[in-house]
Short mmCIF file of all heavy atoms in Angstrom, two decimals:
data_model
loop_
_atom_site.label_atom_id
_atom_site.label_comp_id
_atom_site.label_asym_id
_atom_site.label_seq_id
_atom_site.Cartn_x
_atom_site.Cartn_y
_atom_site.Cartn_z
N ASP A 1 -2.37 -9.26 4.83
CA ASP A 1 -1.28 -8.60 4.12
C ASP A 1 -1.25 -7.13 4.53
O ASP A 1 -2.28 -6.47 4.61
CB ASP A 1 -1.50 -8.71 2.60
CG ASP A 1 -0.31 -8.18 1.82
OD1 ASP A 1 0.83 -8.54 2.16
OD2 ASP A 1 -0.53 -7.38 0.89
N ARG A 2 -0.03 -6.61 4.81
CA ARG A 2 0.09 -5.22 5.24
C ARG A 2 1.27 -4.56 4.53
O ARG A 2 2.37 -5.12 4.50
CB ARG A 2 0.30 -5.14 6.76
CG ARG A 2 0.48 -3.74 7.30
CD ARG A 2 0.30 -3.71 8.82
NE ARG A 2 1.33 -4.43 9.52
CZ ARG A 2 2.43 -3.86 10.03
NH1 ARG A 2 2.62 -2.56 9.89
NH2 ARG A 2 3.32 -4.58 10.67
N GLN A 3 1.02 -3.37 3.98
CA GLN A 3 2.07 -2.60 3.34
C GLN A 3 2.07 -1.18 3.92
O GLN A 3 1.01 -0.61 4.17
CB GLN A 3 1.87 -2.53 1.83
CG GLN A 3 1.89 -3.89 1.15
CD GLN A 3 1.92 -3.76 -0.37
OE1 GLN A 3 2.80 -3.14 -0.94
NE2 GLN A 3 0.93 -4.37 -1.01
N ARG A 4 3.28 -0.62 4.11
CA ARG A 4 3.40 0.69 4.74
C ARG A 4 4.11 1.66 3.79
O ARG A 4 5.09 1.31 3.14
CB ARG A 4 4.20 0.59 6.04
CG ARG A 4 4.26 1.89 6.83
CD ARG A 4 5.15 1.73 8.06
NE ARG A 4 5.10 2.89 8.93
CZ ARG A 4 5.77 4.03 8.72
NH1 ARG A 4 6.55 4.14 7.65
NH2 ARG A 4 5.67 5.04 9.57
N PHE A 5 3.61 2.91 3.74
CA PHE A 5 4.19 3.95 2.89
C PHE A 5 4.31 5.25 3.69
O PHE A 5 3.49 5.52 4.57
CB PHE A 5 3.32 4.20 1.66
CG PHE A 5 3.12 3.00 0.78
CD1 PHE A 5 2.05 2.13 1.00
CD2 PHE A 5 3.99 2.74 -0.27
CE1 PHE A 5 1.85 1.03 0.19
CE2 PHE A 5 3.80 1.64 -1.08
CZ PHE A 5 2.73 0.78 -0.86
N ASP A 6 5.32 6.04 3.36
CA ASP A 6 5.48 7.37 3.94
C ASP A 6 5.20 8.41 2.87
O ASP A 6 5.82 8.39 1.80
CB ASP A 6 6.91 7.56 4.47
CG ASP A 6 7.17 6.72 5.71
OD1 ASP A 6 6.41 6.88 6.68
OD2 ASP A 6 8.13 5.92 5.72
N ALA A 7 4.27 9.31 3.15
CA ALA A 7 3.85 10.30 2.15
C ALA A 7 4.77 11.51 2.14
O ALA A 7 4.34 12.65 2.27
CB ALA A 7 2.41 10.73 2.41
N ASP A 8 6.07 11.27 1.99
CA ASP A 8 7.02 12.37 1.88
C ASP A 8 7.18 12.75 0.41
O ASP A 8 6.48 12.25 -0.47
CB ASP A 8 8.36 12.01 2.51
CG ASP A 8 8.92 10.70 1.96
OD1 ASP A 8 8.56 10.32 0.81
OD2 ASP A 8 9.71 10.03 2.64
N SER A 9 8.14 13.64 0.15
CA SER A 9 8.29 14.14 -1.22
C SER A 9 8.74 13.05 -2.20
O SER A 9 8.55 13.18 -3.40
CB SER A 9 9.30 15.29 -1.23
OG SER A 9 10.55 14.86 -0.71
N GLY A 10 9.34 11.96 -1.66
CA GLY A 10 9.82 10.91 -2.55
C GLY A 10 8.84 9.78 -2.80
O GLY A 10 9.16 8.80 -3.46
N LEU A 11 7.62 9.92 -2.30
CA LEU A 11 6.65 8.85 -2.44
C LEU A 11 6.13 8.73 -3.87
O LEU A 11 5.78 9.73 -4.50
CB LEU A 11 5.47 9.09 -1.50
CG LEU A 11 4.30 8.10 -1.61
CD1 LEU A 11 4.74 6.70 -1.22
CD2 LEU A 11 3.12 8.54 -0.77
N ASP A 12 6.11 7.51 -4.37
CA ASP A 12 5.50 7.22 -5.67
C ASP A 12 4.04 6.82 -5.41
O ASP A 12 3.74 5.69 -5.03
CB ASP A 12 6.26 6.07 -6.36
CG ASP A 12 5.69 5.77 -7.75
OD1 ASP A 12 4.66 6.37 -8.12
OD2 ASP A 12 6.28 4.94 -8.45
N TRP A 13 3.14 7.77 -5.59
CA TRP A 13 1.73 7.51 -5.30
C TRP A 13 1.15 6.42 -6.19
O TRP A 13 0.25 5.68 -5.79
CB TRP A 13 0.92 8.80 -5.45
CG TRP A 13 1.09 9.73 -4.29
CD1 TRP A 13 2.03 10.69 -4.13
CD2 TRP A 13 0.29 9.74 -3.09
NE1 TRP A 13 1.87 11.33 -2.92
CE2 TRP A 13 0.80 10.76 -2.26
CE3 TRP A 13 -0.81 9.00 -2.65
CZ2 TRP A 13 0.26 11.05 -1.01
CZ3 TRP A 13 -1.36 9.29 -1.41
CH2 TRP A 13 -0.82 10.31 -0.60
N ASP A 14 1.68 6.29 -7.39
CA ASP A 14 1.18 5.23 -8.28
C ASP A 14 1.42 3.85 -7.66
O ASP A 14 0.63 2.92 -7.88
CB ASP A 14 1.86 5.31 -9.64
CG ASP A 14 1.39 6.52 -10.44
OD1 ASP A 14 0.27 7.01 -10.15
OD2 ASP A 14 2.13 6.99 -11.32
N GLU A 15 2.49 3.73 -6.87
CA GLU A 15 2.78 2.45 -6.21
C GLU A 15 1.69 2.11 -5.19
O GLU A 15 1.29 0.96 -5.05
CB GLU A 15 4.14 2.53 -5.52
CG GLU A 15 4.60 1.22 -4.91
CD GLU A 15 5.97 1.32 -4.26
OE1 GLU A 15 6.61 2.38 -4.40
OE2 GLU A 15 6.38 0.35 -3.60
N ILE A 16 1.20 3.13 -4.49
CA ILE A 16 0.12 2.91 -3.52
C ILE A 16 -1.16 2.50 -4.25
O ILE A 16 -1.86 1.57 -3.86
CB ILE A 16 -0.15 4.17 -2.68
CG1 ILE A 16 1.07 4.54 -1.85
CG2 ILE A 16 -1.35 3.95 -1.76
CD1 ILE A 16 0.85 5.75 -0.97
N PHE A 17 -1.47 3.20 -5.35
CA PHE A 17 -2.68 2.88 -6.10
C PHE A 17 -2.62 1.46 -6.65
O PHE A 17 -3.61 0.73 -6.66
CB PHE A 17 -2.89 3.88 -7.23
CG PHE A 17 -3.49 5.18 -6.77
CD1 PHE A 17 -2.68 6.21 -6.31
CD2 PHE A 17 -4.86 5.37 -6.78
CE1 PHE A 17 -3.22 7.40 -5.88
CE2 PHE A 17 -5.42 6.57 -6.35
CZ PHE A 17 -4.60 7.60 -5.89
N SER A 18 -1.44 1.07 -7.10
CA SER A 18 -1.27 -0.28 -7.61
C SER A 18 -1.48 -1.31 -6.50
O SER A 18 -2.15 -2.32 -6.68
CB SER A 18 0.13 -0.43 -8.22
OG SER A 18 0.36 -1.75 -8.64
N ALA A 19 -0.89 -1.00 -5.31
CA ALA A 19 -1.03 -1.92 -4.19
C ALA A 19 -2.48 -2.03 -3.74
O ALA A 19 -2.95 -3.11 -3.36
CB ALA A 19 -0.16 -1.45 -3.03
N SER A 20 -3.22 -0.92 -3.82
CA SER A 20 -4.60 -0.93 -3.34
C SER A 20 -5.52 -1.78 -4.22
O SER A 20 -6.59 -2.19 -3.78
CB SER A 20 -5.15 0.51 -3.28
OG SER A 20 -5.33 1.03 -4.59
N GLN A 21 -5.08 -2.05 -5.45
CA GLN A 21 -5.91 -2.83 -6.37
C GLN A 21 -5.38 -4.24 -6.61
O GLN A 21 -5.96 -5.00 -7.38
CB GLN A 21 -6.00 -2.10 -7.72
CG GLN A 21 -6.63 -0.71 -7.62
CD GLN A 21 -8.04 -0.74 -7.10
OE1 GLN A 21 -8.82 -1.61 -7.46
NE2 GLN A 21 -8.37 0.20 -6.22
N THR A 22 -4.26 -4.57 -5.94
CA THR A 22 -3.62 -5.85 -6.18
C THR A 22 -3.71 -6.72 -4.94
O THR A 22 -3.31 -6.30 -3.85
CB THR A 22 -2.14 -5.67 -6.55
OG1 THR A 22 -2.06 -4.81 -7.71
CG2 THR A 22 -1.49 -7.01 -6.87
N LEU A 23 -4.22 -7.93 -5.07
CA LEU A 23 -4.27 -8.88 -3.97
C LEU A 23 -3.10 -9.85 -4.08
O LEU A 23 -2.75 -10.29 -5.17
CB LEU A 23 -5.59 -9.65 -4.00
CG LEU A 23 -6.87 -8.80 -3.88
CD1 LEU A 23 -8.10 -9.70 -3.99
CD2 LEU A 23 -6.88 -8.04 -2.57
N SER A 24 -2.50 -10.17 -2.93
CA SER A 24 -1.36 -11.09 -2.96
C SER A 24 -1.86 -12.52 -3.16
O SER A 24 -3.05 -12.82 -3.02
CB SER A 24 -0.58 -11.01 -1.65
OG SER A 24 -1.29 -11.65 -0.61
N LEU A 25 -0.92 -13.42 -3.45
CA LEU A 25 -1.28 -14.83 -3.65
C LEU A 25 -1.71 -15.48 -2.35
O LEU A 25 -2.39 -16.50 -2.37
CB LEU A 25 -0.07 -15.58 -4.23
CG LEU A 25 0.37 -15.15 -5.63
CD1 LEU A 25 1.64 -15.89 -6.02
CD2 LEU A 25 -0.73 -15.41 -6.65
N PHE A 26 -1.29 -14.90 -1.21
CA PHE A 26 -1.53 -15.55 0.07
C PHE A 26 -2.61 -14.87 0.90
O PHE A 26 -2.95 -15.32 1.97
CB PHE A 26 -0.21 -15.58 0.87
CG PHE A 26 0.93 -16.18 0.10
CD1 PHE A 26 1.87 -15.37 -0.51
CD2 PHE A 26 1.03 -17.55 -0.03
CE1 PHE A 26 2.92 -15.92 -1.23
CE2 PHE A 26 2.08 -18.12 -0.75
CZ PHE A 26 3.02 -17.30 -1.35
N SER A 27 -3.13 -13.77 0.42
CA SER A 27 -4.14 -13.05 1.19
C SER A 27 -5.16 -12.44 0.26
O SER A 27 -4.84 -11.91 -0.78
CB SER A 27 -3.49 -11.94 2.03
OG SER A 27 -4.47 -11.16 2.67
N GLN A 28 -6.41 -12.53 0.68
CA GLN A 28 -7.49 -11.93 -0.10
C GLN A 28 -7.85 -10.53 0.41
O GLN A 28 -8.63 -9.83 -0.22
CB GLN A 28 -8.73 -12.83 -0.04
CG GLN A 28 -8.53 -14.17 -0.71
CD GLN A 28 -8.18 -14.03 -2.19
OE1 GLN A 28 -8.88 -13.34 -2.93
NE2 GLN A 28 -7.10 -14.67 -2.61
N ARG A 29 -7.29 -10.15 1.54
CA ARG A 29 -7.60 -8.85 2.11
C ARG A 29 -6.29 -8.21 2.60
O ARG A 29 -5.40 -8.90 3.10
CB ARG A 29 -8.59 -8.97 3.29
CG ARG A 29 -9.75 -9.89 3.00
CD ARG A 29 -10.80 -9.85 4.09
NE ARG A 29 -11.74 -8.74 3.86
CZ ARG A 29 -12.73 -8.43 4.70
NH1 ARG A 29 -12.88 -9.11 5.82
NH2 ARG A 29 -13.57 -7.45 4.42
N GLN A 30 -6.18 -6.91 2.45
CA GLN A 30 -4.92 -6.26 2.80
C GLN A 30 -5.13 -4.92 3.50
O GLN A 30 -6.17 -4.27 3.37
CB GLN A 30 -4.06 -6.05 1.56
CG GLN A 30 -4.65 -5.07 0.55
CD GLN A 30 -3.67 -4.73 -0.55
OE1 GLN A 30 -2.47 -4.67 -0.32
NE2 GLN A 30 -4.18 -4.49 -1.74
N ILE A 31 -4.08 -4.55 4.27
CA ILE A 31 -4.02 -3.27 4.96
C ILE A 31 -2.96 -2.42 4.28
O ILE A 31 -1.85 -2.89 4.02
CB ILE A 31 -3.64 -3.44 6.44
CG1 ILE A 31 -4.61 -4.38 7.16
CG2 ILE A 31 -3.58 -2.09 7.15
CD1 ILE A 31 -4.11 -4.79 8.54
N ILE A 32 -3.30 -1.18 3.98
CA ILE A 32 -2.30 -0.21 3.53
C ILE A 32 -2.19 0.87 4.60
O ILE A 32 -3.19 1.51 4.95
CB ILE A 32 -2.68 0.41 2.17
CG1 ILE A 32 -2.52 -0.64 1.07
CG2 ILE A 32 -1.82 1.64 1.88
CD1 ILE A 32 -2.79 -0.12 -0.32
N GLU A 33 -0.98 1.02 5.13
CA GLU A 33 -0.72 2.04 6.13
C GLU A 33 0.05 3.19 5.47
O GLU A 33 1.03 2.97 4.77
CB GLU A 33 0.08 1.47 7.30
CG GLU A 33 -0.69 0.42 8.08
CD GLU A 33 0.06 -0.06 9.30
OE1 GLU A 33 1.11 0.53 9.64
OE2 GLU A 33 -0.39 -1.05 9.93
N LEU A 34 -0.42 4.39 5.72
CA LEU A 34 0.17 5.57 5.11
C LEU A 34 0.46 6.60 6.20
O LEU A 34 -0.44 7.00 6.94
CB LEU A 34 -0.79 6.17 4.07
CG LEU A 34 -0.33 7.44 3.34
CD1 LEU A 34 0.93 7.18 2.53
CD2 LEU A 34 -1.46 7.97 2.45
N HIS A 35 1.73 7.00 6.29
CA HIS A 35 2.13 7.98 7.30
C HIS A 35 2.27 9.35 6.64
O HIS A 35 3.06 9.53 5.71
CB HIS A 35 3.45 7.57 7.95
CG HIS A 35 3.93 8.54 8.99
ND1 HIS A 35 3.31 8.68 10.21
CD2 HIS A 35 4.94 9.43 8.97
CE1 HIS A 35 3.93 9.61 10.90
NE2 HIS A 35 4.91 10.10 10.18
N LEU A 36 1.49 10.32 7.13
CA LEU A 36 1.51 11.66 6.55
C LEU A 36 2.57 12.53 7.23
O LEU A 36 2.79 12.41 8.44
CB LEU A 36 0.14 12.33 6.70
CG LEU A 36 -1.06 11.59 6.09
CD1 LEU A 36 -2.33 12.42 6.25
CD2 LEU A 36 -0.82 11.27 4.62
#
């Protein structure tokens, strides 16, 4: 599982924190990509 976020002024950081602690139904391991 892979999710991508852009750390611009409109980023909801809580969404990233939620994603980092949530596993999908189809994957037990996930990648979070963050562009600064």
Side-chain angles (χ1 to χ4, degrees):
D1 187 47
R2 178 164 67 95
Q3 299 189 57
R4 185 184 188 281
F5 301 90
D6 289 304
D8 53 24
S9 58
L11 175 64
D12 182 354
W13 283 89
D14 289 337
E15 185 178 353
I16 297 182
F17 280 88
S18 176
S20 70
Q21 299 299 319
T22 303
L23 300 178
S24 75
L25 295 175
F26 307 101
S27 174
Q28 295 300 309
R29 315 188 85 183
Q30 66 171 326
I31 303 169
I32 289 183
E33 295 185 8
L34 179 62
H35 180 71
L36 303 183

